[in-house]
């Protein structure tokens, strides 16, 4: 028996002198020519070539495939029927008493059908053929239920073959042939290049053949534009609220401690004043100096003074304790709130809420908490 022979051989090596044991051959290097080269189908080149030769030579083929223009492709029923259940059903219906089966694949170029049938044999394709017939192969992969080819076509479109020239056709085909990821990718490209694509013949053709689809795309572009504008508006508003909060902090800092060349009347400014940590102080100092010397210092009389009045009123509304506050007119504005109309009061409350809410973490001890606004 083979097993006994192997055991005896093992025993003879074990009992023999170690010097009689042959030296094992060296490991093959990385440049060894015997290493298999893998193609697109992850099989050896020899195996791929064998399947391609079987397809090209048509050795013992038993299927005739009719394509457009009366052209013919020969194939093997067992192979293409195994690769596609749809073709298997066609072959069963086309079975005759004789040796040959006949089926038809029309509506796409003959060369595209040939690339498709070759893929059923070896799962291989040429890059140039994929680029030329990508749309036809996408349709054939869906119509004849070949998931592997479907994934290959989808991958190539996602990684370079989807362009502004074919994206509208790909978008329609992706929806009709159940390619959800591809339809999303192509939809995003259409929205990105909408102005350019909406003037093309492909867009006009889609509008005629699928008017509801064209309308949905156009509506989605409008919604996206409005959403983008709203997002920008909110971001700008948030920046303004944050700047107002910093201005409120700087105003308290100037009126309580003083800053550089300006400060409370009861304190002497030191020449070696520490550096200020409030970025809003520089602009606020200039505004306060103007406000102190302006001859039109009345609400509505001067644009700069009007802004200062608004800042002072905003401060009074966010101030936590007017009795201890050093900011001028803080208590006066508190009393003025009771005489304002409900409309003005609601607008101020909303502004105060947004300004205080712009400070996401923590907050000044001199201001009201956000929840109380």
């Amino acid at each position: 028996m083979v097993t006994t022979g192997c055991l005896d051989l093992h025993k003879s090596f074990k009992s023999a002198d170690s010097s009689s044991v042959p030296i094992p051959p060296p490991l093959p290097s990385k440049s060894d020519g015997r290493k298999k080269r893998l193609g697109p189908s992850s099989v050896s080149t020899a195996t791929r070539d064998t399947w391609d030769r079987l397809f090209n030579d048509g050795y013992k083929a038993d299927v005739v495939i009719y394509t457009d223009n009366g052209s013919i492709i020969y194939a093997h029923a067992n192979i293409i029927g195994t690769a596609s259940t749809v073709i298997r059903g066609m072959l069963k219906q086309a079975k005759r008493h004789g040796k040959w089966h006949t089926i038809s694949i029309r509506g796409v170029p003959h060369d595209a059908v040939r690339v498709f049938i070759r893929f059923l044999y070896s799962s291989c394709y040429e890059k140039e053929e994929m680029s030329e017939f990508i749309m036809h192969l996408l349709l054939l992969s869906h119509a004849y239920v070949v998931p592997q080819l479907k994934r290959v076509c989808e991958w190539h479109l996602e990684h370079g073959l989807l362009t502004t020239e074919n994206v509208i056709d790909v978008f329609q085909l992706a929806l009709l042939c159940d390619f959800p990821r591809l339809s999303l990718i192509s939809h995003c490209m259409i929205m990105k290049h909408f102005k350019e694509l909406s003037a093309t013949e492909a867009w006009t053709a889609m509008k005629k053949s699928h008017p509801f689809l064209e309308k949905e795309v156009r509506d989605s572009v409008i919604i996206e534009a409005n959403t983008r504008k709203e997002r920008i508006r909110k971001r700008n508003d948030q920046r303004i609220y944050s700047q107002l909060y910093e201005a409120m902090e700087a105003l308290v800092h100037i009126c309580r401690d003083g800053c550089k060349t300006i400060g409370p009347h009861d304190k002497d400014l030191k020449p070696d004043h520490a550096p200020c940590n409030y970025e809003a102080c520089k602009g606020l100092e200039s505004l306060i100096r103007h406000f102190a010397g302006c001859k039109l210092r009345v609400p509505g009389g001067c644009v700069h003074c009007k802004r200062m009045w608004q800042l002072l009123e905003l401060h009074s509304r966010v101030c936590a304790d007017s009795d201890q506050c050093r900011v001028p007119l803080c208590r006066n504005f508190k009393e003025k709130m009771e005489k304002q109309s409900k409309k003005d009061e609601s607008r101020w409350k909303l502004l105060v809420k947004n300004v205080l809410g712009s400070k996401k973490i923590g907050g000044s001890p001199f201001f009201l908490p956000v929840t109380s606004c």
Side-chain angles (χ1 to χ4, degrees):
M1 294 178 64
V2 175
T3 305
T4 305
C6 290
L7 290 175
D8 292 341
L9 184 62
H10 175 69
K11 290 179 181 179
S12 64
F13 270 111
K14 190 174 182 180
S15 60
D17 188 353
S18 59
S19 60
S20 63
V21 178
I23 301 175
L27 293 173
S29 63
K30 294 182 179 180
S31 60
D32 191 349
R34 294 174 295 176
K35 185 177 180 180
K36 295 180 180 180
R37 294 186 299 119
L38 300 183
S41 60
S42 298
V43 296
S44 68
T45 303
T47 303
R48 183 193 65 188
D49 292 345
T50 299
W51 285 105
D52 281 344
R53 189 165 58 253
L54 180 64
F55 167 64
N56 292 325
D57 295 347
Y59 177 67
K60 290 191 175 181
D62 55 356
V63 178
V64 177
I65 303 173
Y66 291 101
T67 63
D68 284 351
N69 301 325
S71 301
I72 294 175
I73 298 174
Y74 295 100
H76 300 80
N78 290 339
I79 296 175
I80 62 176
T82 301
S84 169
T85 55
V86 175
I87 292 180
R88 185 189 306 173
M90 295 172 63
L91 291 172
K92 287 182 179 179
Q93 293 180 359
K95 190 173 182 180
R96 298 289 184 270
H97 295 291
K99 174 182 177 182
W100 292 92
H101 300 73
T102 58
I103 61 175
S104 297
I105 299 179
R106 303 184 185 277
V108 295
H110 169 81
D111 290 340
V113 179
R114 186 171 183 82
V115 174
F116 171 67
I117 299 299
R118 180 204 174 188
F119 188 90
L120 299 184
Y121 276 75
S122 61
S123 297
C124 292
Y125 52 89
E126 302 300 331
K127 185 177 180 180
E128 296 77 11
E129 294 174 339
M130 179 60 67
S131 179
E132 182 179 359
F133 301 116
I134 183 68
M135 298 292 292
H136 305 295
L137 294 175
L138 194 69
L139 180 60
L140 290 170
S141 68
H142 174 76
Y144 294 98
V145 191
V146 185
Q148 186 178 357
L149 179 58
K150 198 173 184 179
R151 289 191 296 269
V152 169
C153 293
E154 202 169 18
W155 187 92
H156 278 285
L157 283 167
E158 186 176 346
H159 292 82
L161 292 186
L162 184 65
T163 64
T164 53
E165 295 180 358
N166 64 10
V167 64
I168 295 178
D169 294 330
V170 171
F171 177 60
Q172 297 176 83
L173 192 59
L175 291 175
L176 293 172
C177 298
D178 190 25
F179 289 84
R181 177 178 174 82
L182 188 58
S183 64
L184 177 61
I185 295 172
S186 55
H187 182 264
C188 292
M189 180 178 284
I190 292 175
M191 294 182 67
K192 184 177 180 181
H193 303 278
F194 176 75
K195 187 175 181 180
E196 171 190 350
L197 293 172
S198 59
T200 61
E201 294 181 0
W203 183 271
T204 304
M206 181 177 70
K207 188 175 182 179
K208 291 181 179 179
S209 58
H210 302 96
F212 292 102
L213 180 59
E214 188 269 346
K215 184 179 183 302
E216 286 183 3
V217 175
R218 191 178 291 276
D219 291 343
S220 65
V221 171
I222 296 174
I223 294 172
E224 175 63 22
N226 293 336
T227 302
R228 190 185 304 111
K229 290 180 181 178
E230 181 67 14
R231 193 161 50 241
I232 294 173
R233 185 192 67 79
K234 288 184 178 180
R235 186 164 59 245
N236 292 336
D237 289 347
Q238 185 64 25
R239 184 172 64 252
I240 293 173
Y241 296 142
S242 180
Q243 291 173 349
L244 286 173
Y245 190 97
E246 293 173 0
M248 294 298 98
E249 287 185 316
L251 183 60
V252 173
H253 159 65
I254 291 173
C255 297
R256 186 189 61 171
D257 305 320
C259 182
K260 296 181 181 178
T261 62
I262 193 170
H265 66 278
D266 58 345
K267 286 188 179 182
D268 296 329
L269 293 176
K270 300 178 181 179
D272 56 343
H273 201 283
C276 178
N277 295 324
Y278 296 92
E279 295 182 4
C281 269
K282 184 176 181 180
L284 196 56
E285 281 186 80
S286 301
L287 190 61
I288 292 174
R289 286 188 178 281
H290 169 84
F291 184 73
C294 183
K295 303 301 182 182
L296 299 174
R297 194 179 55 181
V298 292
C302 172
V303 175
H304 301 293
C305 291
K306 181 180 180 180
R307 184 184 177 194
M308 189 66 210
W309 282 110
Q310 291 171 339
L311 289 176
L312 290 173
E313 183 169 359
L314 178 59
H315 163 78
S316 69
R317 291 176 175 274
V318 301
C319 183
D321 189 356
S322 296
D323 295 331
Q324 302 295 327
C325 183
R326 302 292 299 275
V327 177
L329 303 177
C330 184
R331 178 182 290 275
N332 295 37
F333 279 111
K334 288 279 189 184
E335 296 173 355
K336 180 184 174 183
M337 295 179 196
E338 301 175 359
K339 301 178 183 180
Q340 284 188 328
S341 64
K342 292 183 179 180
K343 183 178 180 181
D344 290 339
E345 186 64 20
S346 62
R347 291 172 59 188
W348 275 106
K349 284 185 176 180
L350 179 60
L351 177 61
V352 169
K353 180 180 178 180
N354 290 329
V355 169
L356 294 178
S358 66
K359 196 72 173 180
K360 299 299 183 183
I361 301 176
S364 173
F366 305 103
F367 299 156
L368 296 170
V370 181
T371 53
S372 66
C373 299

